[in-house]
Amino acid sequence: LANIKLSASKLLKTFGLGLISIISVSLIFILLLITTVGTNLGIILILLYASLCLISVPALTIVITNILKPTFKIEKTSMFSLILTLVSIILHGITLIPFVGTLLGLVIKLIAIGLLIDMYLPHKELTEEEKVAIEEAKKLAKENREKSKKEKLEAKEAKKQAKLEAKEAKKENNE
């Protein structure tokens, strides 16, 4: 949990994983309960998922605290514990907001579940060739954006020049 980084795309990914997991576990649970052979397996599955739900928000609290660690220059364990407590209180306080709190609590829970699931999914490490190709693609995209911007500026200047010439020609025709 200490080396997890959260970004906007990662939050969206973990939210999606949490949403997919709650839907899929519910469907699998219902299917297993329908069959007489899978009843015990269904009960075990739902108990495991309930355990995952119970530890998800505290795990998210730890991740958020670890992200805040460099910001507040936390060195001591006592300070870490204080920040951890504050983050926990804030996350719980968000869920107490009337009307919106329930929805925000669900979003927090889904992000936390998705984060735990994402930790245990296998992640492919990029090879050096892939990293170089990505960097080259980024450079090419940046060059294309700059080229496009330059062309737009040139077109704008040409349009401005054409307007000035048209204005001058009209002025000469009027005289």
Side-chain angles (χ1 to χ4, degrees), residues 57-66 68 74 77-91:
V57 175
L60 179 66
T61 305
I62 293 170
V63 169
I64 292 171
T65 306
N66 280 327
L68 294 174
I74 300 171
T77 308
S78 60
M79 188 65 171
F80 182 81
S81 299
L82 177 67
I83 300 295
L84 183 66
T85 305
L86 288 173
V87 169
S88 182
I89 289 170
I90 290 169
L91 285 179

Side-chain angles (χ1 to χ4, degrees), residues 28-93:
I28 292 170
F29 175 67
I30 291 169
L31 288 174
L32 286 173
L33 284 183
I34 291 173
T35 64
T36 55
V37 177
T39 305
N40 291 336
L41 191 58
I43 292 171
I44 291 170
L45 174 71
I46 206 69
L47 289 174
L48 287 173
Y49 193 73
S51 300
L52 179 70
C53 288
L54 285 173
I55 65 169
S56 63
V57 175
L60 179 66
T61 305
I62 293 170
V63 169
I64 292 171
T65 306
N66 280 327
I67 291 171
L68 294 174
K69 206 174 181 180
T71 306
F72 293 117
K73 296 180 178 113
I74 300 171
E75 301 285 329
K76 298 179 182 175
T77 308
S78 60
M79 188 65 171
F80 182 81
S81 299
L82 177 67
I83 300 295
L84 183 66
T85 305
L86 288 173
V87 169
S88 182
I89 289 170
I90 290 169
L91 285 179
H92 181 68

Side-chain angles (χ1 to χ4, degrees), residues 6 10-19 21-22 49 52-64 86-97 100-117:
L6 286 179
K10 178 99 174 184
L11 280 176
L12 194 59
K13 178 184 174 187
T14 56
F15 176 77
L17 277 172
L19 189 61
S21 73
I22 198 166
Y49 193 73
L52 179 70
C53 288
L54 285 173
I55 65 169
S56 63
V57 175
L60 179 66
T61 305
I62 293 170
V63 169
I64 292 171
L86 288 173
V87 169
S88 182
I89 289 170
I90 290 169
L91 285 179
H92 181 68
I94 288 172
T95 63
L96 297 177
I97 300 171
V100 182
T102 306
L103 183 61
L104 289 175
L106 178 65
V107 169
I108 290 169
K109 180 68 86 175
L110 291 176
I111 289 172
I113 291 169
L115 188 69
L116 286 177
I117 291 172

Side-chain angles (χ1 to χ4, degrees), residues 21 31 48-49 60 63 114 128 135 143-144 152 160 162 172:
S21 73
L31 288 174
L48 287 173
Y49 193 73
L60 179 66
V63 169
E128 285 301 317
E135 287 301 317
E143 289 171 4
N144 286 339
K152 285 180 183 177
K160 222 183 221 184
E172 286 177 7

Side-chain angles (χ1 to χ4, degrees), residues 154-165:
E154 289 173 355
K156 195 175 185 181
E157 287 295 321
K159 192 175 180 182
K160 222 183 221 184
Q161 188 66 31
K163 279 184 178 181
L164 281 173
E165 290 173 1

